[in-house]
Amino acid sequence: DGGITQSPKYLFRKEGQNVTLSCEQNLNHDAMYWYRQDPGQGLRLIYYSQIVNDFQKGDIAEGYSVSREKKESFPLTVTSAQKNPTAFYLCATRQGGPGAYNEQFFGPGTRLTVL
Amino acid sequence: AQKVTQAQTEISVVEKEDVTLDCVYETRDTTYYLFWYKQPPSGELVFLIRRNSFDEQNEISGRYSWNFQKSTSSFNFTITASQVVDSAVYFCALSGRSGYSTLTFGKGTMLLVSP
C-alpha cells in the first residue's frame, strides 16, 4: 500500500535523552516535512526537505535535527536541547520540488512524552 | 509574513444542522494557495481541498462547500446537514512563494456534532 509510515506511535523518553522519530514514504514524493502539534495549537513547522540531501529549518527548529539521505526517509531527532519536547509530531510529504504548491499528505503521527 | 486566523476555537452543533467554519488569511503574495484539512480523533490530517488565488469560484463536494473571497481574504468552509462523523478539528492553511511553498496553519476549529 502507498502511504506514509511513522513509528513508533507512542514514545516515552527520559529527560536528557535524544530520541529519533521515523518517517518513511513510498509515494515517491519529493518534499517531506516535520510538524509539531501542541494542545489547542495549530501545526508548527520544524524542518522540511524539498530534495534529497537538502533540508531547511522551519519556525521552531531549535533542539531538533534531521537528515535526508534517501528520498523515502526523513527521520527527526529530538535532542536534549529541546526544552519542552512533549507533543504530537506529524510527518508530511508533497509531490513536486521547490516552487510547487500541491497539497501535503500526512502520516499518522507519533506522540512523544518526556517523563 | 503569512498568517491564518481561525477565530472559532470550538463549535458545537446538533446533527443535521449546517455549520460554517471561518478562515481569514494574510499574505503579501499575489499567487497563493489555500487548503482545508480535517483531523479526526485518530490524529492523522486528511486533505479536503486546495484552492489557488486566481480561482474564486465556490466549490461544492457533497455536503461540503467552500466560499473563497479575495476581497475579504476569507476562505470559509460549510458543512451542510452535519453528521456525528464530522466531529473533528478542522485546519485552514496557506501556501505561497514568500513561505517557500511551506504551509502556514491556523490554530484549528474543533467541531463537535452531537446526535
Side-chain angles (χ1 to χ4, degrees):
Chain A
D1 286 352
I4 304 165
T5 304
Q6 288 188 246
S7 60
K9 187 171 184 177
Y10 298 96
L11 187 57
F12 299 89
R13 96 159 200 214
K14 293 182 180 179
E15 277 193 42
Q17 289 181 338
N18 291 356
V19 63
T20 297
L21 281 59
S22 168
C23 179
E24 303 280 333
Q25 57 111 350
N26 60 6
L27 300 171
N28 200 34
H29 285 178
D30 295 294
M32 297 187 74
Y33 304 80
W34 275 105
Y35 293 91
R36 169 182 173 138
Q37 185 178 20
D38 295 283
Q41 300 291 319
L43 277 69
R44 292 183 291 168
L45 182 64
I46 305 172
Y47 267 99
Y48 64 102
S49 168
Q50 306 214 59
I51 52 174
V52 175
N53 292 321
D54 186 51
F55 51 83
Q56 306 295 329
K57 292 182 179 180
D59 301 318
I60 56 166
E62 186 174 349
Y64 300 97
S65 65
V66 294
S67 63
R68 186 87 186 276
E69 297 175 0
K70 300 185 301 181
K71 190 174 186 179
E72 303 79 21
S73 178
F74 191 41
L76 173 74
T77 296
V78 184
T79 75
S80 57
Q82 170 49 236
K83 299 303 179 189
N84 185 20
T86 295
F88 187 50
Y89 290 87
L90 286 156
C91 175
T93 70
R94 178 178 59 77
Q95 189 172 29
Y101 300 92
N102 301 333
E103 56 274 16
Q104 293 181 17
F105 294 93
F106 285 80
T110 292
R111 194 167 297 278
L112 173 64
T113 302
V114 174
L115 304 173
Chain B
Q2 299 181 137
K3 185 178 179 182
V4 175
T5 301
Q6 295 181 255
Q8 304 151 309
T9 304
E10 189 172 323
I11 300 175
S12 293
V13 299
V14 177
E15 219 173 7
K16 297 184 183 177
E17 284 187 28
D18 298 346
V19 58
T20 295
L21 310 180
D22 297 333
C23 173
V24 174
Y25 62 91
E26 297 175 29
T27 181
R28 300 172 302 182
D29 296 322
T30 54
T31 301
Y32 52 88
Y33 291 79
L34 295 161
F35 304 79
W36 275 95
Y37 285 86
K38 174 182 180 180
Q39 186 178 39
S42 62
E44 184 172 340
L45 266 73
V46 177
F47 165 72
L48 297 177
I49 190 171
R50 177 183 69 154
R51 172 69 64 192
N52 76 55
S53 52
F54 295 106
D55 184 1
E56 289 193 69
Q57 285 191 352
N58 291 334
E59 176 136 354
I60 298 174
S61 176
R63 296 184 296 106
Y64 295 171
S65 63
W66 290 269
N67 182 4
F68 176 32
Q69 292 194 336
K70 284 180 76 170
S71 60
T72 56
S73 297
S74 65
F75 186 44
N76 297 337
F77 173 31
T78 297
I79 302 175
T80 303
S82 59
Q83 300 176 2
V84 172
V85 293
D86 295 327
S87 296
V89 180
Y90 291 87
F91 290 98
C92 181
L94 167 69
S95 182
R97 183 183 299 276
S98 64
Y100 302 99
S101 69
T102 62
L103 283 176
T104 299
F105 283 86
K107 292 189 175 182
T109 297
M110 179 178 289
L111 174 65
L112 179 60
V113 182
S114 52

